[in-house]
Amino acid sequence: MAGKGAKDKGKKTGGPVSRSSRAAPQEKSAPKKDVYQLFAEKVRDNKQLESRWAIMQETRVEYFRGKDFNTFVKNHPEVREILGPDKELEVEDIVNTLLTKNLVIRCDRVMKTVRPGKKKLSSWPAHLEIHNEQVFTENDGFFAWMFLKRRTLWQTILSFVWPLFALAVCLFPVYPYQCKIVVLYSCAGALLFIVSILLLRAAIFGILWVLLGKRVWFFPNINAEETTFRELVRFWPEKDEGERPKWTSRLFYALVALLVILLLRHHAPDEAARARYQKKVSNIIDDVLEWSPKLAISGMIEKHTGANITEESNYTSRAASSHMPPSTEGKASEDMDVDGDTEASLDETQDNEYADDTRSSGA
C-alpha cells in the first residue's frame, strides 16, 4: 500500500511539474516589451507632437523640442497610462529615463551664432550635434529619436513599387507607340509644372523684396534636400526673421536684374535658329518614339544580308579575273612593243653601215 501511495503521489506531483516545465520555454520565447519602448513608439507615432528632420553626424534624424514634449504630455494624459506604475512621474523624470535607455538623445544646434541678416536663431535647426549633458531641459533643448520607426503599410507597398518603377523606366524603348506618347507628355508636363513654380516663386520673391523689402518664399521647402513630403508641399511661407534690406541694395539688384533681362533679350536667337533647333529636337523625339524591336531586328538582318552579298560579289569578281584569258589589247600592245624594238634595231644597224661606208670612202 505504501508503494502504491508513493506512486500515486508521484503521479499527482508529476503533472504540475511537467506543465510548469512546458510553460517556462513559452514565457522565455515571448519576453515582455519594455513599457518605455511602447511609450516612445506611441508618442512618436502621434501627430500632435511637432517634430522635424535634421542632419546629425551625416545621419538623418527626427527630433522634437523639450517644451513641445512637455506640453504634449500634459495635454494627453492617456499616453501616461502606458507607463503603468511610472505614470505619475514628472516629465523631466520620464525623459531622463528615455535618455538612459537610449531611446532618445539630447542634441544641440551646430550654428550657435545668428547668421548675418537674421534677428535670432532658427527655431528648427537643420544641422545638429550631440550635446555634452544628456539631461532634460525645456530651454532650447532638442531630442532626437534613436530607434527605428515602425514601417507603415504605405512604406511597405512603396518598397515593392520602386523597383518595378525603375524596371519600367528601363523598358521604355520597347513600349508601344501610344504608351510612349502618354509617358512623354506626362513627363514633359510635370517638368514644365516644376519649372513654372520655381520661376513664379522667384519672380514673386524678387518683386516683393525690391518693392517692400520682405523675404517671401512660397513653397519654402521645395529645394530642401532632407524633408518630408508634408513639409515639401507646404505652400505658405515662413515668417521673415531677417532685417529689412536697405533701399540702395534693393535698387542696385533691381538694376542688375533689368540689365540681365535686356541682355538676354538682345542675344535671343532669331526665328530661323529657333526653327532649326525645334526641327532637330523633333527629329530626335521621332526617332525615339518610332524605334521598336522589330525595326531593330529587321535592320540588323538587312545589314547582315547586305554584307554577305558584298562578300559574295567580291569573291566572284576575284575568281572571274583569275580565270580570264589575256585581252586583245594586251596582245596588241605587246606586238607593238616587239615591232617597235625590231624597227629600232634595224635603224641602228643601217646607221652603223652608213658610218662604216663614210669612213672607207674618206680613206
Side-chain angles (χ1 to χ4, degrees):
M1 293 293 292
K4 187 175 181 181
K7 289 181 180 179
D8 295 339
K9 186 177 181 180
K11 290 180 180 179
K12 292 179 181 178
T13 57
V17 172
S18 61
R19 284 195 296 270
S20 62
S21 63
R22 288 195 301 270
Q26 295 179 0
E27 294 178 357
K28 291 182 180 179
S29 61
K32 190 176 181 181
K33 202 168 185 179
D34 187 13
V35 292
Y36 282 93
Q37 176 75 29
L38 295 174
F39 174 80
E41 292 177 355
K42 186 71 174 179
V43 172
R44 188 176 184 181
D45 292 337
N46 198 313
K47 302 299 182 182
Q48 299 298 323
L49 177 62
E50 188 176 4
S51 62
R52 300 290 175 87
W53 291 87
I55 302 298
M56 184 178 67
Q57 295 182 351
E58 300 181 357
T59 304
R60 188 167 178 261
V61 295
E62 184 181 6
Y63 72 100
F64 58 90
R65 296 181 297 188
K67 57 182 181 180
D68 296 334
F69 185 85
N70 190 11
T71 305
F72 171 80
V73 174
K74 290 180 179 180
N75 295 335
H76 297 81
E78 68 278 2
V79 181
R80 290 174 172 265
E81 300 297 332
I82 303 175
L83 298 176
D86 296 340
K87 63 182 180 180
E88 300 298 333
L89 293 177
E90 296 293 334
V91 177
E92 182 178 358
D93 297 331
I94 294 175
V95 177
N96 288 333
T97 305
L98 294 175
L99 290 170
T100 56
K101 292 180 177 293
N102 292 327
L103 294 174
V104 297
I105 186 172
R106 186 183 175 186
C107 309
D108 193 8
R109 60 177 77 245
V110 176
M111 297 295 297
K112 300 178 178 61
T113 58
V114 180
R115 292 184 298 176
K118 298 290 184 179
K119 296 180 180 180
K120 60 180 181 178
L121 294 173
S122 175
S123 302
W124 296 93
H127 296 273
L128 300 173
E129 61 183 4
I130 299 176
H131 200 280
N132 295 329
E133 298 179 0
Q134 293 297 314
V135 292
F136 177 75
T137 178
E138 293 186 25
N139 300 324
D140 201 19
F142 305 103
F143 300 88
W145 299 108
M146 295 301 293
F147 60 92
L148 295 177
K149 193 175 181 179
R150 290 183 299 178
R151 186 181 294 272
T152 61
L153 178 61
W154 285 110
Q155 290 176 340
T156 304
I157 295 174
L158 288 177
S159 63
F160 289 98
V161 170
W162 281 120
L164 297 178
F165 178 76
L167 181 62
V169 171
C170 296
L171 294 178
F172 175 78
V174 299
Y175 285 0
Y177 182 80
Q178 297 297 333
C179 293
K180 288 182 180 180
I181 290 293
V182 172
V183 173
L184 177 64
Y185 283 103
S186 300
C187 295
L191 182 61
L192 180 62
F193 176 73
I194 294 173
V195 173
S196 301
I197 289 180
L198 294 177
L199 294 177
L200 181 62
R201 69 191 292 267
I204 294 175
F205 174 84
I207 293 172
L208 294 180
W209 188 81
V210 171
L211 297 179
L212 304 177
K214 299 291 185 179
R215 300 177 180 86
V216 180
W217 284 111
F218 292 99
F219 293 102
N221 300 320
I222 196 171
N223 293 326
E225 297 180 357
E226 300 291 341
T227 184
T228 60
F229 181 77
R230 183 179 60 182
E231 295 177 353
L232 183 66
V233 298
R234 188 164 64 88
F235 176 75
W236 292 108
E238 297 178 351
K239 184 179 179 181
D240 187 13
E241 299 178 353
E243 296 180 357
R244 187 174 181 178
K246 298 179 180 180
W247 68 271
T248 54
S249 60
R250 287 186 286 161
L251 180 60
F252 172 75
Y253 283 109
L255 294 176
V256 170
L258 181 61
L259 180 62
V260 171
I261 294 174
L262 293 177
L263 288 175
L264 292 177
R265 182 179 177 82
H266 181 266
H267 294 283
D270 55 1
E271 292 294 335
R274 286 197 292 268
R276 290 194 301 268
Y277 180 76
Q278 182 179 359
K279 185 177 180 181
K280 184 177 180 181
V281 174
S282 178
N283 292 334
I284 295 174
I285 294 176
D286 292 339
D287 292 339
V288 174
L289 294 178
E290 294 175 358
W291 186 91
S292 65
K294 293 182 179 180
L295 292 177
I297 294 174
S298 61
M300 293 173 61
I301 294 174
E302 291 178 358
K303 184 177 179 181
H304 184 68
T305 305
N308 291 337
I309 293 174
T310 304
E311 292 179 358
E312 290 178 359
S313 61
N314 293 335
Y315 177 77
T316 304
S317 61
R318 287 196 300 269
S321 61
S322 61
H323 295 287
M324 184 180 294
S327 60
T328 308
E329 294 179 356
K331 285 186 177 182
S333 61
E334 290 179 359
D335 294 340
M336 290 176 64
D337 293 339
V338 171
D339 294 339
D341 294 340
T342 305
E343 292 178 355
S345 59
L346 290 175
D347 293 339
E348 185 178 359
T349 303
Q350 292 178 357
D351 293 338
N352 292 332
E353 291 178 353
Y354 180 76
D356 293 339
D357 294 338
T358 304
R359 284 195 298 269
S360 60
S361 62

